Amino acid sequence: MAKLMDMTDGSPSRLLLRLAWPAVVGNLAEQLYLLADKAIVGRYVGAEAFSAVGAVSAPVFVFMSLCIGTQTGIGILTAQYYGAGDHRGVASVIRNGAYVILLGSLVMTLLAMFFSEPLLRLLGTPESLMADAVTYMKIYLAGLTSISVCFSCFHVLRALGNSGVPMAVVVFSSLLNVGLDLYFVAVLKAGVAGAALATALSQTAAAAACVIYGFVSVPYFREAFRSLRPEKDMVRRTVLVSLPAGGQNAFTYISGSLLQSIVNGFGVTAIGAFTATSQMESLIRHIYLGLGAASAAFTGQNMGAGLERRAREGAGAAVRISAAVSFVLAVTFLAGAGPIMSVFVEDPAMVELAARGMRILSLFFVWMGTAQVFHHFLNGAGDTVYPLVNGAVEAAARILFAAALALWIPGGGVGGIWTATGLAWLVSAVSVYLRYRQGRWRGKSLVRKE
């Protein structure tokens, strides 16, 4: 029997830390997929192959955004039904969410197969990188259904207060991915195609492990599929909750793709440096996302139980934890950005430029963390539309600041890209905090405890 956690009673800080640390470890291990691909490709194939893999990072997640939104929606609904004590509702979310995620991932996979190359050309990917970039993107996204199933299971388990199993599964699949990367790229000399295949196979193994665990150890999974009949109302509810989250993620990755198009104009060295800082930014973002996932589960359970005041206490605790983490990270990168970034790529010019970018970004980490905490709070409370609005605001700010600082201001150069990203985090944090203070999330719980 799986160990689940009721977060409607007890110290908010302790519960958040207890749920967050495995989520953070799991998220960081998850990032080993792309990190291993880039690092191993960079060392065994070359700097241009490294840049080619980096050039597809944001476009890949544009196609994944709908699936990511569905995973988020399933997690929100699970937490609220569990907090309300509606166990049949939890099972219904799992069953109907499975249909939504399978259909959505199939549609996005087909779109990716047809539009990967046109999208990369639209973004101005250099011709020298195009063949490798298209190959990597198509093979990686061929495994989108496995990725979606895997992370849907993770969201359900975390919403139920179990983040230990997702952590263990991700660590296992990440280590498997590194091993397969080395075998396909270093031994078989399969290049970027081998790196993408290693990731797809590892994700498939993770999905299988998570589904098996769910059916063996979590009664809600078995109850969910005693009937295979979809329920129109729950499918509709899942879609309505998921679409804003998917849209918010789409805005994030579309803005990242547009930034990539700006960076592409500065040449291969800038692309490599931006690839390295984007990967490190993603690692750091996933620290805050782990805390955010804990905050969303805490908020969802308490809103489902009708405990709005306790939900607010959880938000305050999460902000304090985030601020402490931000301080440690900022000091670390201000002091040692160069050696850290040399892990990603060996080219001295790329390392120097990437270190400069990380020192700039480190000054804004506190705003990234604050934005993530309140974003996840609103989602957990059922106020799922405003994070979409906030995502659009952040994306617009990121592009406008980047255009101004990197292109329009004389002498701005590629360094303006990183400053623009930091300023966009600040804008996002202010926007989502004002929404929290207005209190319009009150009364938006998706399910009420009778």
Side-chain angles (χ1 to χ4, degrees), residues 16 27 33 51 74 122 147 173 179 224 297 326 334 384-385:
L16 285 168
N27 284 346
Y33 288 121
S51 297
I74 292 170
L122 180 65
I147 296 171
S173 57
S326 299
L334 288 172
T384 58
V385 174

Side-chain angles (χ1 to χ4, degrees), residues 374 378 431-442:
F374 285 113
L378 293 178
S431 170
V432 78
Y433 175 72
L434 290 176
R435 177 70 172 193
Y436 168 79
R437 290 288 296 175
Q438 287 172 349
R440 295 185 181 180
W441 48 271
R442 295 186 178 92

Side-chain angles (χ1 to χ4, degrees), residues 79-126:
Q80 291 205 1
Y81 276 106
Y82 185 68
D86 186 344
H87 304 300
R88 292 182 65 181
V90 173
S92 178
V93 171
I94 294 172
R95 178 174 63 255
N96 292 282
Y99 294 129
V100 175
I101 198 69
L102 289 172
L103 179 60
S105 62
L106 176 60
V107 170
M108 297 311 292
T109 299
L110 292 173
L111 289 175
M113 295 303 105
F114 285 104
F115 294 107
S116 291
E117 183 171 350
L119 178 58
L120 289 169
R121 292 193 180 279
L122 180 65
L123 295 174
T125 304

